[in-house]
Every structure is written in C-alpha cells, then in structure tokens.
Amino acid sequence: MGITSKTRKMLWGRSANRCAICRMNLVMDETETDDESVIGDECHIVAREKDGPRGDSVLTSEQRDKYTNLILLCKVHHKVIDDQSFSYSVQYLTELKEKHEEWVNKALDLDVVKQRDEEVYMTFIDKWSELCELENWKSWTSNIFFAGGYSLSIQMNDKLQEVKEYLFSRIWPERYLELNDSFENFTIILNDFFGVFHKHSERRGEYYYTERFYNVRDGDEEKYHGLLCEYNFHVDLLQDLLLELTRAVNHICDMVRRFLLPSYRINEGLLLIVSGPYKDLSMRVFRTQYKEKNRSTELYPGLDKFKEIRSTRDVCFGVGKDANDPEFLKNT
Ligand SMILES: [Zn+2]
Ligand SMILES: [Zn+2]
C-alpha cells in the first residue's frame, strides 16, 4: 500500500523538513505568487526492490515502506547514497538518521506535543482516504454520475457509512480548527448525500439503484409528468451533492497540505469526476473546488440553503429548491 501519510508526517516532522546529511531545508515557503515547493526525497534505506541499493534484505515489501526504513534527504544526497550504497550501508544510514533526529530535538527544540498531534491527524487521514477510496474516486463516483444509472455499489455504500461513523467518533486534536472544520463539512455533506440517495434507492444485486419512481403506467399523463419532474430534480440534486462532496475532499487535501504535509497528494492532484453520456454520447470530466477566495466561508451551508446556492458553484447539474420551483421548471 506504499508509504502512509502518517509515516510521511513522522519522517518530515521529526527531521524538521531537513536533509539528514546536509541539513538543508527541503520545503521552500510559498511566495505571493507561488505555492510551496518540496525539494526533498523520502528515501529507502533498504531499497523497495530486492535489486535496488541495499535491497538484499529479509524485510518484506510492507516493512520497507515503514518509518524505520526511511530517511529524509535532499536530491543530491539521495543520489549519493544510492550510487555509493557500500559506503552508505544500512547501519550507517540508520545512525545518520538517529543523529539527525537527536539534533532536531535539541538544537531546533522540536515541539513534541505538536508533532504528536500532527501524527494523530495523519492516522485519521490515512483511514479516511482508504475508506472513501480516494484512489478510485473518479471510478466509483462515475456510477452516480452515469446518466440513467445513478447507482452506488453496496460495498462502497458500506465503506462510506463506516467513514462517517469513524470521523464522527474521533477525538480530534484542537490544533488546526480549519482542518477540523473541513472534515466536519465533509461529514455533513456525506450525511445529506445518503439521506437524498436512499429516499429513492432500491437494492438489486451488488448495487443500490435509483428507483425510477415516475414509471406508474396508470395512464395518468399529468401525474406521470409531475413524477418525472420530481425524478429529474432528485437525480440532479444527488449529483450536485456528490460534486459538493468532491469539493469537500479537495478542500480537505488543501488543508492537509497547509497544516500537515506540504506534499500531500501533490502528484495525484485534484480529484476529478466524470459524467455522461451526454446527448452527443460524450463523457465529460470535471474538476471542482471551492473558490480560491473565502474558501472557509464558502463551505456547505446545509441542504436547504445548498439547493438555492448550488448554481453559484463552479459546476452544477440542477437548480431550485424543489420540483415545483419556477427556476427548476424553466430549465426542464
Ligand atoms: Zn543533503
Ligand atoms: Zn533511493
């Protein structure tokens, strides 16, 4: 499963973001115009692969990604230790790392309580990202955004229910309140998403589908039309809530980068969603986030308010507060 965020936090925090050999600072602060820049590497002491530097070892591949087998270095020293793997033996590197952390403790007066709080946060974040499958976000959400489908696998449904309870029952450090708020925001949206989805879900096989409740077939055209409007309103809202949830995740990742780990999900980038097929049979990819300015005041305002303000978001599928809203009817 690779190096966890908690391990990375331990490594960066306990090394004070510095190379264990030359002590160079590996995180360049953000400027007026640019984000932070990360110039260090999380290096394996025993290589990840058997045939890599110092790779001939009994360690399992999981153990190779653990904190004890990693050392933080600048790019230059990363290359040096891998090129000269006999001079830089496992034992020597382990000692270098220990000495460096000792130095950080003494000379830099490492704030131990802060570091511990941050590691607690990272434990929660690892679990959260695993349960809501950030790695497969575009894929599992595409079932909800798939025109006519609007479904969710039972497995994903259960994982999301679990993450909701998990987050709710955590004892959060009261250190980074904006980060705490970003998780609360996520939980509230997820809760409303479930509420809306399961109002019209039906279980078939491995999936929950959105019931086509307009199919009444009693020949009452007016009733049929009314229900169809309601159905369209419902699936728009469902998709808008999942978009809002995606925004919430992107916002959390921002907060994690700001407070805990500047390189968090930098390579993966923003979560995207894919929707369609549209009338021309195309699938479209969207990126979505809260607007740069006043991000924290823009968070989810609760379901009723959200229905009204969703059209001010960067992407939205529907409008109006219910299926009788003139604004909604105008658009159908
Ligand atoms: Zn260095
Ligand atoms: Zn290496």
Side-chain angles (χ1 to χ4, degrees):
M1 68 175 279
I3 305 172
T4 66
S5 302
K6 165 140 189 235
T7 296
R8 303 182 57 213
K9 181 69 236 177
M10 287 165 76
L11 193 62
W12 288 84
R14 295 177 188 189
S15 323
N17 298 344
R18 284 162 193 267
C19 171
I21 295 179
C22 67
R23 294 180 181 167
M24 177 161 89
N25 188 356
L26 303 175
V27 180
M28 298 293 120
D29 288 342
E30 57 185 356
T31 67
E32 288 270 304
T33 46
D34 291 299
D35 291 338
E36 272 173 335
S37 171
V38 178
I39 51 176
D41 286 335
E42 297 149 359
C43 315
H44 286 85
I45 297 177
V46 170
R48 187 181 293 155
E49 313 293 340
K50 272 251 184 270
D51 56 2
R54 297 165 297 275
D56 187 12
S57 156
V58 295
L59 292 190
T60 64
S61 66
E62 201 177 317
Q63 286 166 331
R64 286 170 197 240
D65 281 338
K66 287 271 184 313
Y67 172 72
T68 46
N69 187 47
L70 297 166
I71 182 170
L72 194 65
L73 296 173
C74 69
K75 302 271 181 200
V76 171
H77 284 113
H78 185 185
K79 182 156 189 322
V80 171
I81 66 150
D82 283 355
D83 287 349
Q84 307 187 334
S85 61
F86 292 103
S87 308
Y88 291 90
S89 65
V90 173
Q91 196 194 339
Y92 183 52
L93 286 175
T94 308
E95 278 168 23
L96 273 180
K97 179 182 169 188
E98 274 166 20
K99 278 206 199 105
H100 178 67
E101 291 188 354
E102 238 166 71
W103 173 77
V104 169
N105 251 320
K106 286 206 192 100
L108 299 186
D109 202 12
L110 177 77
D111 185 338
V112 184
V113 182
K114 173 168 172 271
Q115 176 65 20
R116 199 183 54 210
D117 278 356
E118 295 187 345
E119 289 173 14
V120 168
Y121 274 119
M122 276 341 240
T123 310
F124 297 170
I125 289 161
D126 279 327
K127 183 77 179 171
W128 163 77
S129 107
E130 181 202 321
L131 282 175
C132 56
E133 294 203 8
L134 291 198
E135 298 309 319
N136 302 315
W137 188 270
K138 200 166 81 182
S139 155
W140 77 254
T141 57
S142 70
N143 289 326
I144 292 284
F145 293 116
F146 188 75
Y150 315 115
S151 66
L152 183 65
S153 74
I154 288 169
Q155 192 200 5
M156 200 58 224
N157 179 81
D158 294 352
K159 280 176 121 175
L160 291 172
Q161 293 283 8
E162 193 184 335
V163 82
K164 208 176 75 179
E165 260 175 53
Y166 176 80
L167 294 176
F168 191 57
S169 59
R170 287 316 87 192
I171 298 167
W172 293 84
E174 288 189 37
R175 183 170 290 271
Y176 303 121
L177 299 183
E178 275 177 273
L179 177 65
N180 296 10
D181 287 348
S182 71
F183 273 101
E184 198 186 337
N185 182 60
F186 173 88
T187 314
I188 298 170
I189 300 164
L190 183 57
N191 202 37
D192 285 346
F193 170 78
F194 274 132
V196 168
F197 180 61
H198 286 303
K199 214 164 115 189
H200 294 293
S201 73
E202 54 184 2
R203 198 176 161 150
R204 262 185 281 139
E206 304 290 299
Y207 284 85
Y208 287 106
Y209 290 89
T210 296
E211 180 195 1
R212 298 192 186 196
F213 56 85
Y214 55 87
N215 267 339
V216 281
R217 292 173 215 269
D218 59 0
D220 186 339
E221 270 305 308
E222 203 176 319
K223 185 170 155 203
Y224 173 85
H225 184 74
L227 286 173
L228 185 59
C229 275
E230 246 179 73
Y231 172 83
N232 287 328
F233 180 87
H234 172 74
V235 296
D236 283 350
L237 180 61
L238 185 65
Q239 296 178 87
D240 281 334
L241 282 167
L242 193 53
L243 273 175
E244 185 76 356
L245 194 68
T246 307
R247 246 167 244 132
V249 173
N250 284 329
H251 179 58
I252 289 175
C253 295
D254 258 354
M255 294 294 112
V256 176
R257 282 189 288 273
R258 185 194 305 172
F259 294 114
L260 298 170
L261 197 62
S263 58
Y264 184 71
R265 292 186 65 80
I266 278 284
N267 293 334
E268 294 87 344
L270 285 178
L271 291 187
L272 303 173
I273 66 106
V274 56
S275 114
Y278 289 85
K279 288 202 177 85
D280 59 1
L281 298 182
S282 68
M283 303 295 287
R284 294 181 201 162
V285 176
F286 294 102
R287 58 181 266 166
T288 179
Q289 57 191 141
Y290 293 116
K291 295 188 180 104
E292 192 73 46
K293 291 199 180 94
N294 56 16
R295 252 185 213 172
S296 42
T297 54
E298 257 223 352
L299 300 184
Y300 185 67
L303 187 55
D304 286 338
K305 188 92 212 272
F306 175 70
K307 289 178 190 169
E308 287 172 38
I309 61 106
R310 58 185 146 149
S311 54
T312 67
R313 295 295 197 227
D314 52 0
V315 191
C316 80
F317 288 92
V319 289
K321 56 186 191 307
D322 56 45
N324 298 315
D325 193 320
E327 218 197 324
F328 168 72
L329 295 171
K330 203 170 66 196
N331 280 287
T332 44

